C-alpha cells in the first residue's frame, strides 16, 4: 500500500525539525551532576577541588567549599564561562564521574592550563583521560615547558553507547596547578 505525503507536510517538517534542535540548546558536561574521587586535603589548609562554570565555590571531598576566585576560567587571553577547573595541589590523580546513560554521541572540549596557577614558575605535565564504561575513549596531554607558550588541546571524544564517563586528571612534575576543561559540549 502506497501513502502519499503532501509537499506542505514535508516543508512543515523541514521547518519544525531545526526549531526543535534549537530549542533543546547546548548541553555541557559541566551542567550535569558528577561524583568526584581522589580529591585530597593536605594539612595546612591546602585541598584539591573542582570548580564548575566560574562559581566562587569548589567541590571537595567534604562537599562544597567557599573559595574566593578573583578571575574567570581563562586559558591564555580567552575567558570561558562554561567548563570545569581541576584544582590540584600536588602530583596526583583526580577523577570525576558522570552518568550519561547512553544519551550522547560525543564530547568536544578545549583543555589548557588556567591563567591562575597556584605555584608560579612550575611547568606541569598533565594528562587528561576520558574513560567510558571502563575503557579509555580519549586523552589529551598538556606538557608545559619553560620558555614556550602554554599548550592547549582540543578533544572530540566518542560517547555512543557510553553509560558512565570518568574524566581522570593526572598531574606530574608540579607542586600544584589548575587545569581547565572548557566548553565541554555534549552532542
Amino acid at each position: 500500500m502506497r501513502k502519499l505525503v503532501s509537499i506542505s507536510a514535508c516543508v512543515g517538517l523541514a521547518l519544525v525539525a531545526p526549531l526543535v534542535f534549537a530549542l533543546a540548546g547546548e548541553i555541557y558536561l559541566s551542567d550535569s551532576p558528577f561524583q568526584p574521587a581522589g580529591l585530597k586535603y593536605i594539612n595546612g589548609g591546602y585541598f584539591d577541588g573542582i570548580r564548575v562554570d566560574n562559581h566562587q565555590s569548589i567541590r571537595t571531598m567534604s562537599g562544597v567549599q567557599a573559595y574566593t576566585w578573583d578571575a574567570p576560567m581563562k586559558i591564555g587571553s580567552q575567558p570561558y564561562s562554561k567548563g570545569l577547573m581541576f584544582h590540584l595541589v600536588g602530583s596526583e590523580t583526580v577523577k570525576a564521574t558522570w552518568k550519561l546513560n547512553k544519551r550522547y554521541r560525543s564530547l568536544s572540549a578545549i583543555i589548557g592550563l588556567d591563567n591562575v596557577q597556584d605555584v608560579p614558575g612550575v611547568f606541569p605535565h598533565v594528562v587528561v583521560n576520558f574513560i567510558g564504561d571502563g575503557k579509555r575513549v580519549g586523552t589529551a596531554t598538556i606538557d608545559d615547558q619553560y620558555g614556550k607558550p602554554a599548550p592547549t588541546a582540543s578533544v572530540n571524544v566518542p560517547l555512543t553507547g557510553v553509560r558512565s564517563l570518568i574524566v581522570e586528571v593526572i598531574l606530574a612534575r608540579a607542586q600544584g596547578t589548575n587545569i581547565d576543561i572548557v566548553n565541554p559540549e555534549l552532542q
Side-chain angles (χ1 to χ4, degrees), residues 45-65:
Y46 297 103
F47 50 87
D48 296 333
I50 301 172
R51 181 182 183 200
V52 178
D53 293 343
N54 288 325
H55 289 235
Q56 291 298 309
S57 59
I58 63 173
R59 293 271 310 268
T60 67
M61 287 310 287
S62 60
V64 176
Q65 299 288 326

Side-chain angles (χ1 to χ4, degrees), residues 2-80:
R2 284 175 93 176
K3 290 189 176 185
L4 296 175
V5 178
S6 73
I7 291 178
S8 62
C10 290
V11 170
L13 182 59
L15 293 174
V16 171
L19 180 60
V20 170
F21 289 111
L23 291 176
E26 297 168 333
I27 301 169
Y28 293 96
L29 187 65
S30 56
D31 293 335
S32 301
F34 63 91
Q35 182 63 43
L39 299 173
K40 294 177 180 57
Y41 174 82
I42 298 171
N43 288 336
Y46 297 103
F47 50 87
D48 296 333
I50 301 172
R51 181 182 183 200
V52 178
D53 293 343
N54 288 325
H55 289 235
Q56 291 298 309
S57 59
I58 63 173
R59 293 271 310 268
T60 67
M61 287 310 287
S62 60
V64 176
Q65 299 288 326
Y67 200 85
T68 304
W69 293 99
D70 58 357
M73 286 181 295
K74 198 177 210 183
I75 299 173
S77 60
Q78 178 67 44
Y80 294 91

Side-chain angles (χ1 to χ4, degrees), residues 101-116:
N101 299 319
K102 299 182 178 184
R103 290 181 300 218
Y104 305 104
R105 291 186 322 269
S106 64
L107 167 69
S108 60
I110 299 168
I111 300 171
L113 297 176
D114 192 86
N115 277 17
V116 176

Side-chain angles (χ1 to χ4, degrees), residues 112-184:
L113 297 176
D114 192 86
N115 277 17
V116 176
Q117 292 296 310
D118 276 356
V119 184
V122 174
F123 301 94
H125 177 80
V126 181
V127 176
V128 180
N129 290 314
F130 297 87
I131 302 164
D133 296 334
K135 292 182 270 182
R136 188 168 56 183
V137 292
T139 192
T141 301
I142 302 295
D143 190 22
D144 195 21
Q145 297 180 16
Y146 178 77
K148 295 186 178 179
T152 60
S154 295
V155 294
N156 193 349
V157 179
L159 296 176
T160 301
V162 171
R163 295 175 197 266
S164 177
L165 176 68
I166 297 172
V167 174
E168 174 185 66
V169 179
I170 304 166
L171 173 62
R173 201 178 70 213
Q175 297 170 338
T177 196
N178 293 317
I179 188 85
D180 293 340
I181 301 174
V182 296
N183 292 343

